[in-house]
Amino acid sequence: EVTEHWEEHRCKNVLIETAVEVGDNATDYTLLSLTKNGVIIRDLSEGKGKFPKDYKTYKVAKPGDLVFCLFDVDETPRTVGYVRNHGMLTGAYSVFETRDVDTEYLCHYFISLDDRKALRPLYRGLRKVIPLPAFMSMPLFLPPLSEQRAIVAYIERKERQIDAYIARQAEQIERLKELRQTIISHAVTRGIHPYTRFRPTGIPWIPEVPEHWKCVELKRVTVFNPSRKEYLDGDTLVGYAPMEIVRSNMESCLTIEVNKLTAGLTYFEEGDVVLAKVTPCFENGNVAIIPKMIHYCGFGSSELFVYRCNKDKLDPKQLFYYFQSAGFVSAGIASMTGTGGLKRISPTFARNAKIPLPPISEQRAIVAYIEKKTAAVDRMINACREQTELMKAYKQRLISDAVTGRINVLPHD
Protein backbone atom coordinates (compact mmCIF):
# COMPACT_ATOMS: atom_id res chain seq x y z
CA GLU A 1 0.00 0.00 0.00
CA VAL A 2 1.01 3.58 -0.66
CA THR A 3 -0.57 6.91 0.05
CA GLU A 4 -3.37 7.55 -2.44
CA HIS A 5 -1.94 10.65 -4.11
CA TRP A 6 1.55 9.16 -4.68
CA GLU A 7 2.28 8.41 -8.34
CA GLU A 8 3.88 5.33 -9.87
CA HIS A 9 7.12 5.78 -11.81
CA ARG A 10 10.01 3.61 -12.93
CA CYS A 11 13.63 4.05 -11.95
CA LYS A 12 14.39 4.98 -15.56
CA ASN A 13 12.03 7.97 -15.21
CA VAL A 14 14.13 9.57 -12.46
CA LEU A 15 17.64 8.07 -12.86
CA ILE A 16 20.05 8.80 -15.71
CA GLU A 17 23.18 6.65 -15.75
CA THR A 18 26.47 8.45 -16.25
CA ALA A 19 29.48 6.39 -17.18
CA VAL A 20 32.20 8.99 -17.63
CA GLU A 21 35.62 7.46 -17.03
CA VAL A 22 38.49 9.52 -15.67
CA GLY A 23 40.92 8.12 -18.25
CA ASP A 24 44.32 9.78 -18.02
CA ASN A 25 43.01 12.51 -15.70
CA ALA A 26 42.82 10.45 -12.51
CA THR A 27 45.11 12.87 -10.66
CA ASP A 28 42.41 15.54 -11.05
CA TYR A 29 39.94 13.53 -8.95
CA THR A 30 39.63 12.59 -5.30
CA LEU A 31 39.24 8.85 -4.62
CA LEU A 32 35.83 8.11 -3.10
CA SER A 33 34.44 5.02 -1.40
CA LEU A 34 30.88 3.74 -0.84
CA THR A 35 30.43 2.85 2.84
CA LYS A 36 27.76 2.43 5.51
CA ASN A 37 28.31 6.12 6.25
CA GLY A 38 27.68 7.17 2.67
CA VAL A 39 30.08 8.08 -0.11
CA ILE A 40 33.20 9.31 1.66
CA ILE A 41 36.67 10.46 0.68
CA ARG A 42 38.95 7.45 0.97
CA ASP A 43 41.82 7.75 3.41
CA LEU A 44 44.98 6.72 1.54
CA SER A 45 47.40 7.51 4.36
CA GLU A 46 47.15 4.07 6.01
CA GLY A 47 47.55 2.12 2.77
CA LYS A 48 44.67 -0.22 3.63
CA GLY A 49 42.71 -2.13 1.02
CA LYS A 50 43.42 -2.97 -2.60
CA PHE A 51 44.53 -0.43 -5.17
CA PRO A 52 44.54 -0.85 -8.98
CA LYS A 53 47.60 -0.33 -11.18
CA ASP A 54 45.84 2.70 -12.64
CA TYR A 55 42.49 4.44 -12.30
CA LYS A 56 41.65 4.94 -15.97
CA THR A 57 38.39 2.96 -15.79
CA TYR A 58 37.19 4.68 -12.61
CA LYS A 59 33.99 6.69 -13.00
CA VAL A 60 33.48 10.39 -12.32
CA ALA A 61 31.03 11.19 -9.52
CA LYS A 62 29.66 14.68 -8.92
CA PRO A 63 27.97 16.19 -5.87
CA GLY A 64 24.28 15.28 -6.06
CA ASP A 65 24.82 12.00 -7.92
CA LEU A 66 23.67 8.63 -6.57
CA VAL A 67 26.04 5.66 -6.56
CA PHE A 68 24.79 2.05 -6.58
CA CYS A 69 26.62 -1.22 -6.08
CA LEU A 70 24.48 -3.68 -8.02
CA PHE A 71 26.57 -6.81 -7.44
CA ASP A 72 27.28 -8.98 -4.38
CA VAL A 73 24.28 -7.14 -2.98
CA ASP A 74 23.78 -9.29 0.14
CA GLU A 75 27.45 -9.04 1.12
CA THR A 76 27.90 -5.33 0.39
CA PRO A 77 27.57 -3.23 3.58
CA ARG A 78 25.73 -0.50 1.65
CA THR A 79 24.45 -0.60 -1.94
CA VAL A 80 23.57 3.09 -2.39
CA GLY A 81 25.14 6.40 -1.47
CA TYR A 82 24.67 10.12 -2.03
CA VAL A 83 27.71 11.89 -3.46
CA ARG A 84 28.75 15.12 -1.70
CA ASN A 85 32.30 15.48 -3.05
CA HIS A 86 33.64 15.68 -6.58
CA GLY A 87 35.72 12.57 -7.21
CA MET A 88 35.97 9.10 -8.72
CA LEU A 89 34.79 5.61 -7.81
CA THR A 90 35.60 2.14 -9.04
CA GLY A 91 34.12 1.44 -12.46
CA ALA A 92 32.23 -1.53 -11.04
CA TYR A 93 29.72 0.89 -9.48
CA SER A 94 26.82 2.52 -11.32
CA VAL A 95 26.61 6.31 -11.10
CA PHE A 96 23.37 8.19 -11.76
CA GLU A 97 22.17 11.74 -12.09
CA THR A 98 18.56 12.36 -11.10
CA ARG A 99 15.70 14.32 -12.62
CA ASP A 100 12.28 15.42 -11.38
CA VAL A 101 12.97 14.01 -7.92
CA ASP A 102 14.64 15.11 -4.68
CA THR A 103 17.91 13.14 -4.76
CA GLU A 104 18.26 12.91 -0.99
CA TYR A 105 14.70 11.59 -0.73
CA LEU A 106 15.51 8.94 -3.32
CA CYS A 107 18.70 8.01 -1.46
CA HIS A 108 16.75 7.55 1.79
CA TYR A 109 14.20 5.46 -0.10
CA PHE A 110 16.82 3.09 -1.50
CA ILE A 111 18.59 2.87 1.86
CA SER A 112 15.30 1.74 3.40
CA LEU A 113 15.08 -0.97 0.73
CA ASP A 114 18.73 -1.90 1.27
CA ASP A 115 18.27 -2.25 5.03
CA ARG A 116 15.56 -4.84 4.40
CA LYS A 117 17.35 -6.37 1.38
CA ALA A 118 14.08 -5.73 -0.44
CA LEU A 119 15.76 -5.89 -3.85
CA ARG A 120 16.40 -9.62 -3.43
CA PRO A 121 13.79 -10.59 -6.10
CA LEU A 122 15.96 -8.81 -8.69
CA TYR A 123 19.16 -10.78 -7.93
CA ARG A 124 20.63 -12.95 -10.65
CA GLY A 125 23.44 -15.53 -10.53
CA LEU A 126 25.83 -16.64 -7.82
CA ARG A 127 27.18 -13.12 -7.31
CA LYS A 128 23.66 -11.76 -6.74
CA VAL A 129 23.88 -9.16 -9.45
CA ILE A 130 20.96 -6.85 -10.21
CA PRO A 131 20.91 -6.44 -14.01
CA LEU A 132 20.73 -2.80 -14.99
CA PRO A 133 17.61 -3.25 -17.21
CA ALA A 134 15.75 -4.94 -14.33
CA PHE A 135 16.84 -2.20 -11.95
CA MET A 136 15.80 0.60 -14.30
CA SER A 137 12.38 -1.02 -14.81
CA MET A 138 11.70 -1.29 -11.09
CA PRO A 139 8.56 0.61 -10.00
CA LEU A 140 8.74 3.59 -7.65
CA PHE A 141 5.85 5.34 -5.93
CA LEU A 142 6.72 8.98 -5.36
CA PRO A 143 4.94 11.80 -3.54
CA PRO A 144 4.93 15.32 -5.00
CA LEU A 145 8.32 17.06 -4.95
CA SER A 146 7.29 19.40 -2.13
CA GLU A 147 6.33 16.41 0.02
CA GLN A 148 9.61 14.66 -0.81
CA ARG A 149 11.49 17.68 0.53
CA ALA A 150 9.31 17.75 3.63
CA ILE A 151 10.08 14.06 4.21
CA VAL A 152 13.84 14.72 3.85
CA ALA A 153 13.63 17.59 6.36
CA TYR A 154 11.69 15.37 8.78
CA ILE A 155 14.18 12.53 8.47
CA GLU A 156 17.17 14.82 8.95
CA ARG A 157 15.60 16.37 12.06
CA LYS A 158 14.84 12.97 13.56
CA GLU A 159 18.27 11.62 12.61
CA ARG A 160 19.97 14.48 14.46
CA GLN A 161 17.96 13.70 17.59
CA ILE A 162 18.57 9.94 17.38
CA ASP A 163 22.27 10.32 16.54
CA ALA A 164 22.72 12.70 19.49
CA TYR A 165 21.13 10.11 21.78
CA ILE A 166 23.35 7.35 20.37
CA ALA A 167 26.42 9.57 20.85
CA ARG A 168 25.47 10.13 24.50
CA GLN A 169 25.16 6.38 24.99
CA ALA A 170 28.61 5.91 23.43
CA GLU A 171 30.06 8.51 25.82
CA GLN A 172 28.40 6.77 28.74
CA ILE A 173 29.87 3.44 27.67
CA GLU A 174 33.36 4.96 27.55
CA ARG A 175 32.91 6.45 31.03
CA LEU A 176 31.74 3.08 32.33
CA LYS A 177 34.74 1.35 30.74
CA GLU A 178 37.00 3.87 32.49
CA LEU A 179 35.19 3.18 35.76
CA ARG A 180 35.67 -0.56 35.23
CA GLN A 181 39.39 -0.14 34.72
CA THR A 182 39.63 2.18 37.72
CA ILE A 183 37.97 -0.45 39.92
CA ILE A 184 40.39 -3.12 38.69
CA SER A 185 43.49 -0.90 38.87
CA HIS A 186 42.79 0.28 42.41
CA ALA A 187 41.98 -3.20 43.71
CA VAL A 188 45.08 -4.95 42.32
CA THR A 189 47.52 -2.19 43.29
CA ARG A 190 46.12 -0.71 46.52
CA GLY A 191 43.79 -3.42 47.82
CA ILE A 192 40.17 -3.29 48.89
CA HIS A 193 40.67 -2.37 52.53
CA PRO A 194 41.20 1.20 53.80
CA TYR A 195 44.94 0.76 54.39
CA THR A 196 46.82 3.71 55.83
CA ARG A 197 50.37 2.37 55.68
CA PHE A 198 52.04 2.00 52.30
CA ARG A 199 55.58 1.48 51.12
CA PRO A 200 57.41 2.40 47.90
CA THR A 201 57.68 -0.32 45.27
CA GLY A 202 60.38 0.76 42.86
CA ILE A 203 57.86 -0.03 40.09
CA PRO A 204 57.54 3.08 37.87
CA TRP A 205 53.85 2.58 37.16
CA ILE A 206 52.92 1.63 40.75
CA PRO A 207 54.64 4.01 43.20
CA GLU A 208 53.40 2.35 46.39
CA VAL A 209 51.47 -0.63 47.76
CA PRO A 210 50.18 -1.69 51.18
CA GLU A 211 53.23 -2.31 53.36
CA HIS A 212 52.55 -6.03 53.89
CA TRP A 213 52.41 -6.75 50.14
CA LYS A 214 55.39 -8.07 48.23
CA CYS A 215 56.49 -7.01 44.74
CA VAL A 216 57.97 -9.80 42.65
CA GLU A 217 58.93 -10.41 39.04
CA LEU A 218 56.37 -12.37 37.08
CA LYS A 219 58.91 -15.08 36.29
CA ARG A 220 59.22 -15.78 40.06
CA VAL A 221 55.56 -16.72 40.46
CA THR A 222 54.72 -18.08 36.99
CA VAL A 223 56.15 -20.39 34.37
CA PHE A 224 56.58 -18.07 31.40
CA ASN A 225 55.75 -19.59 27.99
CA PRO A 226 55.76 -23.21 29.26
CA SER A 227 56.84 -25.90 26.83
CA ARG A 228 54.84 -28.98 25.88
CA LYS A 229 55.62 -31.87 28.19
CA GLU A 230 53.85 -34.88 26.77
CA TYR A 231 53.51 -36.65 23.43
CA LEU A 232 50.17 -36.10 21.70
CA ASP A 233 48.80 -38.60 19.20
CA GLY A 234 47.90 -37.21 15.78
CA ASP A 235 44.18 -37.91 16.23
CA THR A 236 44.00 -36.26 19.65
CA LEU A 237 41.57 -33.36 19.90
CA VAL A 238 43.02 -30.30 21.61
CA GLY A 239 41.95 -26.72 22.19
CA TYR A 240 42.81 -24.05 19.65
CA ALA A 241 42.71 -20.29 20.24
CA PRO A 242 43.28 -17.99 17.25
CA MET A 243 43.89 -14.37 18.21
CA GLU A 244 40.33 -13.24 17.46
CA ILE A 245 38.79 -15.30 20.28
CA VAL A 246 41.30 -14.27 22.95
CA ARG A 247 39.42 -11.72 25.04
CA SER A 248 38.58 -11.08 28.66
CA ASN A 249 35.20 -12.85 28.44
CA MET A 250 36.62 -15.88 26.61
CA GLU A 251 34.36 -18.83 27.43
CA SER A 252 35.65 -21.60 25.19
CA CYS A 253 38.37 -22.64 22.77
CA LEU A 254 37.89 -24.06 19.33
CA THR A 255 38.80 -27.71 18.84
CA ILE A 256 41.37 -29.06 16.40
CA GLU A 257 43.18 -32.35 15.71
CA VAL A 258 46.86 -32.36 16.60
CA ASN A 259 47.86 -33.40 13.08
CA LYS A 260 46.25 -30.23 11.71
CA LEU A 261 48.32 -27.89 13.87
CA THR A 262 50.90 -25.69 12.19
CA ALA A 263 54.40 -25.01 13.46
CA GLY A 264 55.23 -22.19 15.81
CA LEU A 265 52.01 -22.15 17.82
CA THR A 266 51.88 -21.28 21.51
CA TYR A 267 51.20 -24.11 23.97
CA PHE A 268 48.89 -23.69 26.96
CA GLU A 269 46.78 -25.62 29.44
CA GLU A 270 43.49 -24.98 31.24
CA GLY A 271 43.81 -22.16 33.74
CA ASP A 272 46.84 -20.55 32.08
CA VAL A 273 46.70 -16.78 31.56
CA VAL A 274 47.40 -15.64 27.99
CA LEU A 275 48.26 -12.10 26.93
CA ALA A 276 48.37 -10.76 23.36
CA LYS A 277 51.70 -9.18 22.51
CA VAL A 278 50.82 -7.51 19.20
CA THR A 279 49.20 -4.11 18.76
CA PRO A 280 46.43 -3.22 18.64
CA CYS A 281 45.41 -6.39 20.52
CA PHE A 282 47.24 -5.55 23.73
CA GLU A 283 45.87 -2.02 23.79
CA ASN A 284 42.36 -3.48 23.45
CA GLY A 285 42.85 -5.62 26.55
CA ASN A 286 43.20 -8.99 24.84
CA VAL A 287 43.95 -11.09 27.89
CA ALA A 288 42.21 -14.30 28.91
CA ILE A 289 42.23 -17.26 31.25
CA ILE A 290 42.17 -20.46 29.19
CA PRO A 291 38.82 -22.20 29.82
CA LYS A 292 38.10 -25.93 29.99
CA MET A 293 38.89 -27.87 26.82
CA ILE A 294 38.10 -31.35 25.48
CA HIS A 295 41.74 -32.17 26.10
CA TYR A 296 43.23 -30.18 28.98
CA CYS A 297 45.93 -28.68 26.73
CA GLY A 298 45.74 -26.53 23.65
CA PHE A 299 47.52 -24.31 21.17
CA GLY A 300 47.10 -20.75 20.02
CA SER A 301 48.56 -17.88 18.08
CA SER A 302 52.30 -17.37 18.31
CA GLU A 303 51.46 -13.77 19.17
CA LEU A 304 50.54 -14.76 22.73
CA PHE A 305 52.51 -14.83 25.96
CA VAL A 306 51.50 -17.65 28.31
CA TYR A 307 51.73 -17.57 32.12
CA ARG A 308 51.21 -20.64 34.30
CA CYS A 309 50.75 -19.42 37.87
CA ASN A 310 52.24 -20.97 40.99
CA LYS A 311 48.82 -21.16 42.61
CA ASP A 312 50.24 -21.18 46.14
CA LYS A 313 51.57 -17.69 45.51
CA LEU A 314 49.49 -16.17 42.69
CA ASP A 315 45.83 -16.66 41.87
CA PRO A 316 45.44 -16.75 38.03
CA LYS A 317 42.51 -14.32 38.25
CA GLN A 318 44.66 -11.85 40.21
CA LEU A 319 47.15 -11.92 37.33
CA PHE A 320 44.32 -11.72 34.78
CA TYR A 321 43.03 -8.52 36.38
CA TYR A 322 46.53 -7.12 36.92
CA PHE A 323 47.09 -7.33 33.18
CA GLN A 324 44.01 -5.11 32.73
CA SER A 325 45.18 -2.43 35.17
CA ALA A 326 45.95 0.99 33.73
CA GLY A 327 49.53 1.04 34.99
CA PHE A 328 50.49 -2.32 33.52
CA VAL A 329 48.78 -1.56 30.19
CA SER A 330 50.66 1.77 29.90
CA ALA A 331 53.97 0.15 30.83
CA GLY A 332 53.41 -2.71 28.38
CA ILE A 333 52.65 -0.32 25.55
CA ALA A 334 55.76 1.72 26.40
CA SER A 335 57.87 -1.46 26.14
CA MET A 336 56.69 -2.23 22.63
CA THR A 337 59.12 -2.34 19.75
CA GLY A 338 58.58 -2.53 16.00
CA THR A 339 57.08 -0.31 13.35
CA GLY A 340 53.64 0.41 11.95
CA GLY A 341 50.81 -1.82 13.13
CA LEU A 342 53.03 -4.70 14.25
CA LYS A 343 54.58 -3.44 17.46
CA ARG A 344 55.04 -6.11 20.10
CA ILE A 345 55.49 -6.12 23.85
CA SER A 346 59.08 -6.78 24.78
CA PRO A 347 59.50 -10.42 25.97
CA THR A 348 61.95 -9.09 28.56
CA PHE A 349 59.25 -6.83 29.96
CA ALA A 350 56.64 -9.61 29.80
CA ARG A 351 58.87 -11.96 31.79
CA ASN A 352 60.51 -9.56 34.24
CA ALA A 353 57.75 -7.02 34.97
CA LYS A 354 56.88 -6.88 38.64
CA ILE A 355 53.48 -7.60 40.15
CA PRO A 356 52.22 -6.41 43.57
CA LEU A 357 51.52 -9.56 45.55
CA PRO A 358 49.20 -9.60 48.57
CA PRO A 359 48.76 -12.84 50.56
CA ILE A 360 46.88 -15.51 48.58
CA SER A 361 43.78 -15.22 50.80
CA GLU A 362 43.67 -11.47 50.14
CA GLN A 363 44.11 -12.07 46.41
CA ARG A 364 40.98 -14.21 46.42
CA ALA A 365 39.05 -11.52 48.29
CA ILE A 366 40.26 -8.93 45.75
CA VAL A 367 39.14 -11.13 42.85
CA ALA A 368 35.68 -11.61 44.40
CA TYR A 369 35.39 -7.84 44.94
CA ILE A 370 36.41 -7.04 41.34
CA GLU A 371 34.00 -9.60 39.90
CA LYS A 372 31.09 -8.21 41.91
CA LYS A 373 31.84 -4.57 41.07
CA THR A 374 32.64 -5.10 37.39
CA ALA A 375 29.55 -7.28 36.92
CA ALA A 376 27.43 -4.29 37.95
CA VAL A 377 29.34 -2.01 35.56
CA ASP A 378 29.05 -4.56 32.74
CA ARG A 379 25.29 -4.68 33.22
CA MET A 380 25.15 -0.91 32.77
CA ILE A 381 27.37 -1.11 29.68
CA ASN A 382 25.12 -3.80 28.19
CA ALA A 383 22.04 -1.69 28.94
CA CYS A 384 23.61 1.24 27.06
CA ARG A 385 24.44 -1.02 24.13
CA GLU A 386 20.91 -2.40 24.05
CA GLN A 387 19.51 1.13 24.04
CA THR A 388 21.85 2.01 21.17
CA GLU A 389 20.74 -0.99 19.12
CA LEU A 390 17.07 -0.20 19.81
CA MET A 391 17.55 3.38 18.65
CA LYS A 392 19.38 2.24 15.50
CA ALA A 393 16.48 -0.09 14.71
CA TYR A 394 14.00 2.73 15.46
CA LYS A 395 15.92 5.07 13.13
CA GLN A 396 15.86 2.47 10.35
CA ARG A 397 12.13 1.88 10.79
CA LEU A 398 11.37 5.59 10.98
CA ILE A 399 13.16 6.30 7.69
CA SER A 400 11.38 3.40 6.01
CA ASP A 401 8.00 4.59 7.26
CA ALA A 402 8.69 8.18 6.19
CA VAL A 403 9.76 7.38 2.62
CA THR A 404 6.84 4.98 2.06
CA GLY A 405 4.17 7.32 3.39
CA ARG A 406 3.33 5.50 6.61
CA ILE A 407 4.18 8.69 8.48
CA ASN A 408 2.46 11.89 7.42
CA VAL A 409 5.06 14.62 7.72
CA LEU A 410 2.86 17.39 6.29
CA PRO A 411 1.09 19.82 8.65
CA HIS A 412 -2.49 18.81 9.39
CA ASP A 413 -5.39 21.06 8.35
Side-chain angles (χ1 to χ4, degrees):
E1 293 181 343
V2 294
T3 305
E4 189 175 26
H5 65 283
W6 289 24
E7 296 182 353
E8 182 176 357
H9 300 267
R10 301 280 171 179
C11 284
K12 62 186 176 183
N13 300 135
V14 295
L15 292 174
I16 306 166
E17 186 183 18
T18 65
V20 180
E21 295 182 348
V22 299
D24 295 324
N25 301 316
T27 55
D28 297 336
Y29 296 91
T30 301
L31 184 60
L32 304 177
S33 183
L34 177 59
T35 72
K36 264 284 200 183
N37 296 318
V39 179
I40 62 172
I41 296 174
R42 187 166 179 182
D43 183 5
L44 303 179
S45 61
E46 296 182 355
K48 293 181 179 179
K50 297 179 180 179
F51 296 92
K53 288 190 294 185
D54 63 64
Y55 295 92
K56 290 183 179 181
T57 61
Y58 272 48
K59 291 178 181 176
V60 175
K62 310 179 302 299
D65 286 348
L66 288 182
V67 174
F68 287 84
C69 177
L70 298 178
F71 59 93
D72 295 335
V73 183
D74 269 355
E75 290 75 29
T76 302
R78 179 59 77 208
T79 61
V80 59
Y82 181 85
V83 180
R84 300 184 185 276
N85 301 283
H86 199 273
M88 62 180 179
L89 293 121
T90 173
Y93 291 164
S94 300
V95 182
F96 297 91
E97 295 175 344
T98 63
R99 65 182 174 195
D100 302 327
V101 69
D102 186 289
T103 309
E104 291 189 82
Y105 168 84
L106 201 58
C107 185
H108 283 303
Y109 175 79
F110 277 108
I111 286 174
S112 76
L113 297 181
D114 189 30
D115 285 335
R116 295 180 282 119
K117 297 301 178 187
L119 298 181
R120 190 171 283 114
L122 301 180
Y123 296 174
R124 298 291 184 273
L126 293 176
R127 291 201 65 185
K128 297 173 182 170
V129 175
I130 299 177
L132 189 60
F135 177 70
M136 296 299 276
S137 298
M138 190 182 83
L140 296 172
F141 290 87
L142 300 176
L145 196 56
S146 60
E147 191 171 345
Q148 293 175 35
R149 291 169 180 154
I151 289 170
V152 170
Y154 172 83
I155 289 173
E156 289 179 348
R157 184 172 68 253
K158 291 295 185 181
E159 280 187 319
R160 284 194 297 270
Q161 295 170 350
I162 294 169
D163 289 346
Y165 179 84
I166 291 173
R168 288 195 297 272
Q169 293 299 307
E171 291 171 2
Q172 179 72 352
I173 288 171
E174 289 308 307
R175 285 194 293 268
L176 288 167
K177 286 181 178 178
E178 290 172 6
L179 173 60
R180 190 183 195 281
Q181 189 177 60
T182 299
I183 291 169
I184 292 171
S185 298
H186 189 280
V188 298
T189 59
R190 299 185 69 83
I192 58 175
H193 302 298
Y195 293 120
T196 58
R197 299 175 67 88
F198 289 81
R199 65 176 182 82
T201 65
I203 305 174
W205 61 93
I206 307 172
E208 59 180 21
V209 294
E211 65 175 355
H212 67 287
W213 289 21
K214 298 177 182 179
C215 288
V216 300
E217 294 175 331
L218 286 168
K219 65 183 179 184
R220 304 296 180 193
V221 287
T222 68
V223 177
F224 181 70
N225 285 345
S227 58
R228 199 168 95 198
K229 296 178 181 177
E230 78 286 3
Y231 172 79
L232 295 172
D233 183 80
D235 294 329
T236 301
L237 291 176
V238 293
Y240 177 62
M243 184 69 79
E244 60 267 21
I245 74 168
V246 176
R247 51 188 179 269
S248 60
N249 60 349
M250 183 176 171
E251 295 181 351
S252 63
C253 285
L254 305 179
T255 301
I256 192 169
E257 292 179 5
V258 170
N259 57 17
K260 293 183 180 177
L261 293 169
T262 57
L265 293 177
T266 302
Y267 175 78
F268 48 70
E269 295 178 6
E270 292 174 7
D272 287 349
V273 179
V274 294
L275 176 69
K277 57 186 174 183
V278 183
T279 54
C281 294
F282 178 64
E283 292 168 323
N284 291 339
N286 279 32
V287 56
I289 297 178
I290 297 299
K292 291 196 72 170
M293 296 176 282
I294 289 178
H295 193 282
Y296 73 92
C297 68
F299 298 82
S301 167
S302 60
E303 300 292 359
L304 295 172
F305 291 126
V306 180
Y307 299 82
R308 186 165 300 154
C309 296
N310 178 340
K311 294 181 182 178
D312 293 331
K313 297 179 179 180
L314 177 60
D315 187 299
K317 288 188 176 181
Q318 178 82 3
L319 179 60
F320 168 71
Y321 286 120
Y322 178 63
F323 283 158
Q324 297 176 60
S325 65
F328 182 84
V329 170
S330 297
I333 292 171
S335 83
M336 287 179 166
T337 57
T339 58
L342 288 177
K343 291 184 178 180
R344 291 172 171 83
I345 304 172
S346 157
T348 301
F349 170 83
R351 183 173 52 251
N352 297 323
K354 289 185 176 180
I355 179 172
L357 206 63
I360 193 72
S361 60
E362 189 172 348
Q363 292 179 40
R364 290 167 183 152
I366 288 171
V367 167
Y369 171 88
I370 290 173
E371 290 181 342
K372 179 179 178 180
K373 291 291 185 180
T374 57
V377 175
D378 289 343
R379 285 194 294 272
M380 289 187 280
I381 290 173
N382 289 336
C384 290
R385 286 175 175 158
E386 288 172 6
Q387 284 294 310
T388 297
E389 292 307 309
L390 286 171
M391 290 305 288
K392 287 179 179 178
Y394 171 65
K395 176 180 173 180
Q396 183 175 312
R397 177 60 186 269
L398 181 140
I399 292 172
S400 177
D401 286 351
V403 297
T404 54
R406 294 186 183 91
I407 298 174
N408 181 13
V409 304
L410 298 177
H412 300 289
D413 294 333

